[in-house]
């Protein structure tokens, strides 16, 4: 009998977050012959999400449908997941290193006495067992860790580092068999706190931490209006707008856009750093981006040391030129 690897799905509104499918990819990479993969889905109005997950060929899907599950409340989530764990006893649990994953995983690890490795960006089998690679010291170094115990393991994976899984490989696919959908009764949790209201600061825009392209502005944008050309470039590229803390502190944009050590961590395919000097605290949130394009008037700006492409020049000239050319394409 192989191990049971379970993914905890995460939703944003009524949609499954990309991190769910990235976690499934990590599950497949981790799995050996005869291991099985399942998903736990919690929320309300779950039919469409359930269908999307089953399309991957899952053999088992655990569902908790409960009004009380939204918005996210730590006590509720922990007690629900703990109840599922006690019933199902997976050997490995994987979730996204998202705000929810960062909150829930350590609480769960403590409550089920599991080992946890967080913020994983890659995993590879080795003689010492599976090695999990993760950035440390705000991205200045990487470490590889493995679990000392056989199970249970909890792993959180950094968004945008695993290709979202479309379909499970044949050995884990349910094939022509009916997938098992287990509806679990929601717990009657005892809550120490309740969320009374959630105010969304930015709605309708692409989620910054999952965006494939991020156009970020720093203090060099000089004003709120200075972000306009960046927003236009992001729109053409179907990307999201981000910012340095310098730009946020100067009141040019909302703190929800802040990228870095004390902001969001992003790993897009393309990261534009416009008028950003490249302080270490900013790099902590974006240095793992696949391609970094820096635009800065100062040829000595530290951002050029990590940029794949550097343009020395005024962002107010270069960004609109880029946008105009891309519009033609
Ligand atoms: P600056 O350093 O002022 O750089 C502005 C850049 O714009 C300059 O390089 C300049 O040459 C360029 N420029 C000016 N005009 C133009 C133009 N027209 N066209 C092109 N380029 C132009 N920072 C973060 O970003 N994220 C964090 O999470 C974060 N956390 C922190 C935590 C701690 C504990 C501390 C102490 C600091 C933190 N910081 C963080 C702040 C960080 O140290 C820097 O102060 C900040 O990143 C600087 O922002 P900036 O690059 O936009 O501004």
């Amino acid at each position: 009998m192989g191990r049971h690897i379970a993914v905890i799905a995460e939703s944003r509104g009524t949609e499954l977050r990309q991190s769910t499918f990235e976690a499934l990819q990590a599950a497949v990479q981790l799995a050996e012959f005869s291991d099985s993969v399942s998903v736990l889905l919690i929320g309300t109005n779950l039919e469409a999400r359930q269908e999307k997950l089953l399309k991957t060929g899952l053999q088992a899907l655990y569902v908790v449908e409960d009004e009380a599950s939204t918005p996210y409340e730590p006590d509720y989530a922990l007690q629900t997941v703990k109840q599922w764990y006690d019933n199902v006893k997976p050997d490995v649990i994987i979730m996204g290193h998202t705000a929810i994953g960062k909150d829930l995983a350590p609480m769960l690890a403590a409550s089920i006495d599991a080992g946890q490795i967080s913020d994983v960006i890659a995993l590879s089998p080795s003689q010492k067992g599976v090695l999990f690679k993760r950035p440390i010291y705000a991205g200045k170094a990487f470490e590889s860790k493995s679990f000392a115990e056989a199970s249970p393991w909890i792993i959180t994976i950094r968004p945008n580092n695993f290709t979202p899984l479309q379909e499970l490989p044949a050995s884990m696919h349910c094939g022509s068999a009916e997938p098992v959908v287990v509806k679990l009764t929601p717990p009657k949790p005892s809550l120490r706190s309740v969320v009374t209201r959630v105010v969304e600061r930015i709605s309708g825009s692409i989620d910054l931490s999952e965006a494939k392209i991020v156009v970020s502005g720093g203090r060099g944008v000089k004003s709120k209006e200075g972000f306009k050309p960046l927003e236009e470039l992001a729109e053409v590229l179907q990307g999201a707008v981000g910012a340095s803390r310098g730009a946020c502190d100067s009141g040019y944009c909302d703190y929800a856009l802040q990228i870095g050590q004390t902001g969001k961590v992003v790993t897009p395919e393309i990261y534009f750093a416009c008028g950003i000097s490249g302080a270490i605290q900013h790099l902590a949130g974006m240095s793992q981006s696949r391609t970094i394009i820096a635009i800065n008037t100062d040829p000595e700006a530290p951002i050029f040391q990590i940029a794949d492409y550097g343009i020395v020049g005024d962002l107010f000239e270069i960004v609109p030129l880029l946008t105009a050319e891309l519009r033609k394409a």
Side-chain angles (χ1 to χ4, degrees):
M1 257 274 282
R3 292 171 309 170
H4 177 181
I5 305 175
V7 163
I8 300 185
E10 200 182 309
S11 304
R12 187 171 188 239
T14 55
E15 299 285 329
L16 284 163
R17 288 191 67 165
Q18 185 177 291
S19 59
T20 304
F21 297 94
E22 293 172 351
L24 271 168
Q25 178 68 252
V28 167
Q29 289 184 20
L30 189 62
E32 291 159 8
F33 183 73
S34 84
D35 286 353
S36 64
V37 174
S38 73
V39 171
L40 169 65
L41 176 63
I42 304 171
T44 50
N45 301 319
L46 295 172
E47 250 169 52
R49 277 171 274 177
Q50 203 170 306
E51 213 170 285
K52 204 167 170 191
L53 282 166
L54 291 175
K55 269 199 186 140
T56 62
L58 278 178
Q59 289 174 353
L61 176 64
Y62 299 91
V63 179
V64 181
E65 186 129 24
D66 187 11
E67 290 290 333
S69 63
T70 36
Y72 174 80
E73 203 289 319
D75 272 344
Y76 174 89
L78 177 62
Q79 287 164 46
T80 308
V81 172
K82 173 80 167 53
Q83 180 175 287
W84 157 81
Y85 175 81
D86 289 340
N87 279 312
V88 176
K89 286 274 159 56
D91 301 288
V92 183
I93 299 170
I94 308 182
M95 59 187 110
H97 195 68
T98 57
I100 289 180
K102 285 184 221 174
D103 189 60
L104 181 58
M107 291 193 297
L108 182 62
S111 94
I112 64 172
D113 202 15
Q116 187 191 328
I117 299 182
S118 337
D119 205 11
V120 170
I121 58 169
L123 58 91
S124 54
S126 83
Q127 284 181 339
K128 290 183 188 160
V130 185
L131 289 178
F132 296 90
K133 186 177 171 190
R134 59 191 297 273
I136 52 170
Y137 302 122
K140 277 187 273 183
F142 297 93
E143 67 175 5
S144 287
K145 287 180 101 166
S146 62
F147 287 99
E149 306 272 333
S151 70
W153 297 355
I154 297 185
I155 300 147
T156 63
I157 55 155
R158 182 179 281 209
N160 275 338
N161 280 272
F162 291 84
T163 312
L165 185 109
Q166 307 289 326
E167 195 166 7
L168 287 156
S171 60
M172 281 171 245
H173 202 287
C174 69
S176 55
E178 267 301 295
V180 179
V181 178
V182 183
K183 301 221 174 211
L184 299 170
T185 316
K188 290 191 174 55
S190 60
L191 303 181
R192 289 167 294 186
S193 63
V194 282
V195 178
T196 52
R197 196 159 74 108
V198 174
V199 181
E200 264 199 61
R201 280 197 167 164
I202 294 171
S203 59
S205 60
I206 296 168
D207 187 339
L208 186 52
S209 46
E210 288 184 354
K212 294 262 175 280
I213 297 180
V214 173
V215 182
S216 266
R219 216 173 263 142
V221 301
K222 297 185 177 73
S223 66
K224 259 188 190 171
E225 296 67 46
F227 263 93
K228 254 253 135 2
L230 274 57
E231 284 160 11
E232 283 167 10
L233 178 59
E235 196 189 329
V236 170
L237 293 169
Q238 294 183 325
V241 174
S244 71
R245 179 151 146 193
C248 301
D249 284 346
S250 305
Y252 305 159
C253 60
D254 197 284
Y255 279 102
L257 302 189
Q258 187 185 318
I259 290 166
Q261 189 180 319
T262 42
K264 294 198 166 80
V265 174
V266 298
T267 29
E269 276 161 23
I270 306 177
Y271 187 86
F272 287 89
C274 311
I276 293 177
S277 60
I280 188 71
Q281 295 89 353
H282 187 74
L283 304 191
M286 47 64 74
S287 62
Q288 296 307 305
S289 305
R290 245 151 261 161
T291 302
I292 298 170
I293 302 171
I295 304 168
N296 200 302
T297 43
D298 176 6
E300 302 296 325
I303 191 76
F304 287 127
Q305 287 170 19
I306 63 147
D308 298 283
Y309 299 94
I311 305 170
V312 178
D314 185 343
L315 73 92
F316 294 107
E317 285 172 22
I318 291 154
V319 174
L321 275 176
L322 270 174
T323 310
E325 282 304 313
L326 286 162
R327 277 210 177 107
K328 283 187 216 159

